[in-house]
Amino acid sequence: MSVSQPAATSVPAVSFEFFPPQNLEASFRLWDTVQVLAPLAPRFVSVTYGAGGTTRDLTRDAVATLHKTSGLNVAAHLTCVEATRAETLAIADEFAAAGVTDIVALRGDPPKGANGFQPHTDGFASSVELIEALAATGTFNIRVGAYPEKHPESPSTAADVDWLKRKLDAGADEALTQFFFEAETFFRFRDACAKAGIEDRIVPGILPIENFKGVTKFAERCGTSVPAWVTQAFEKAERIDQQDLLATALCTELCSELIEGGVDKLHFYTLNRPELTRDVCHALGVTPQVALQNVA
């Protein structure tokens, strides 16, 4: 890494991302995921939106239920897609009324089949506008997305850094990165952000690899490069049926390298499959501390 950072001296603080259930079976899966990971005392958990805001109501319901029943600090995703400013802020008000004041503010992915993002006529034109409006209320702790590798719609990584600075200057408190496979990818991004005046507010996003083929497709869509050595390792692991063992080892090594490089917070994309995330956290010294409370 090119800019030296003090090594983290303690176990990292962790947070987890879930997606909202779309049927009864998925609801049980989400609850099982929460039960597995809640004892690790995450500083927050977040609930996503689907592309084009397709899970807006499901997200709202899942956030409210988790906040009420789990005892966790729940952050709600909120996007600009296919909604007016008034509608978007009304959803934010509903979150606040339910006691949820942490929001992950995103532009959001366009609906399937759409030719890129098109703001609603009366909607927010960008995540920066959404962040400014949320910050103006004085109600919310705001997190945003960041891209250690070039966003598919961005002209350059430098442009991504500039855009991230605009989001933080607009009132965001913290940035969560897209996932990546090598620690050096994050360190290069952190260095570029530091040169732009952004420091100590970027949390690396970690994706334990539950299904390598699925992850590679996801990586292609979001502009994440997959190193050849990772592909070769999973091809070999598949032949001997050791994919989970490899996934746990690689993810633990990635997190350890980040911690050695000064990272003290990690954000895990769980895909509502908690076992690998739990195992990696245990390997990092994140051990059970609390139990769920107020379970309905």
Side-chain angles (χ1 to χ4, degrees), residues 11-12 14 40 245 247-256 259 266 268 275-288:
V11 173
V14 297
L40 301 181
L245 182 62
T248 303
L250 290 185
C251 191
T252 302
E253 182 178 9
L254 171 62
C255 293
S256 296
I259 293 166
L266 298 170
F268 289 88
E275 292 80 12
L276 286 179
T277 296
R278 175 202 60 203
D279 292 348
V280 170
C281 286
H282 285 180
L284 297 173
V286 182
T287 54

Side-chain angles (χ1 to χ4, degrees), residues 73-266:
N73 180 29
V74 184
H77 283 219
L78 188 63
T79 74
C80 308
V81 179
E82 296 205 322
T84 67
R85 289 171 177 255
E87 289 168 341
T88 301
L89 292 178
I91 294 171
D93 288 342
E94 290 179 13
F95 287 139
V100 175
T101 56
D102 279 54
I103 285 183
V104 181
L106 307 164
R107 187 201 69 180
D109 296 326
K112 290 182 179 179
N115 185 23
F117 173 75
Q118 295 294 329
H120 190 286
T121 304
D122 297 318
F124 294 108
S126 68
S127 57
V128 170
E129 290 189 2
L130 173 59
I131 293 159
E132 288 173 340
L134 292 172
T137 68
T139 301
F140 300 103
N141 181 48
I142 305 167
R143 295 181 174 89
V144 296
Y147 294 85
E149 298 180 89
K150 188 176 76 68
H151 187 282
E153 299 175 26
S154 173
S156 66
T157 299
D160 287 333
V161 172
D162 290 342
W163 191 250
L164 174 58
K165 190 170 191 309
R166 287 187 62 189
K167 291 192 285 189
L168 293 168
D169 289 346
D173 300 284
E174 184 176 81
L176 310 171
T177 78
Q178 183 58 271
F179 71 95
F180 50 89
F181 291 95
E182 295 179 309
E184 188 60 32
T185 301
F186 176 79
F187 293 141
R188 284 195 299 267
F189 179 67
R190 184 179 66 184
D191 290 351
C193 288
K195 290 179 181 178
I198 303 169
E199 296 190 64
D200 301 325
R201 299 167 70 183
I202 306 172
V203 178
I206 307 297
L207 178 62
I209 302 174
E210 181 80 25
N211 179 303
F212 184 66
K213 290 181 180 178
V215 167
T216 55
K217 292 178 181 178
F218 185 28
E220 183 177 357
R221 291 199 303 271
C222 63
T224 298
S225 59
V226 183
W229 67 267
V230 174
T231 300
Q232 293 164 3
F234 273 95
E235 288 173 347
K236 181 177 180 180
E238 185 175 6
R239 291 196 294 270
I240 59 176
D241 195 26
Q242 294 292 331
Q243 299 97 311
D244 284 356
L245 182 62
L246 175 64
T248 303
L250 290 185
C251 191
T252 302
E253 182 178 9
L254 171 62
C255 293
S256 296
E257 290 176 359
L258 292 169
I259 293 166
E260 289 172 3
V263 169
D264 61 0
K265 300 180 183 68
L266 298 170

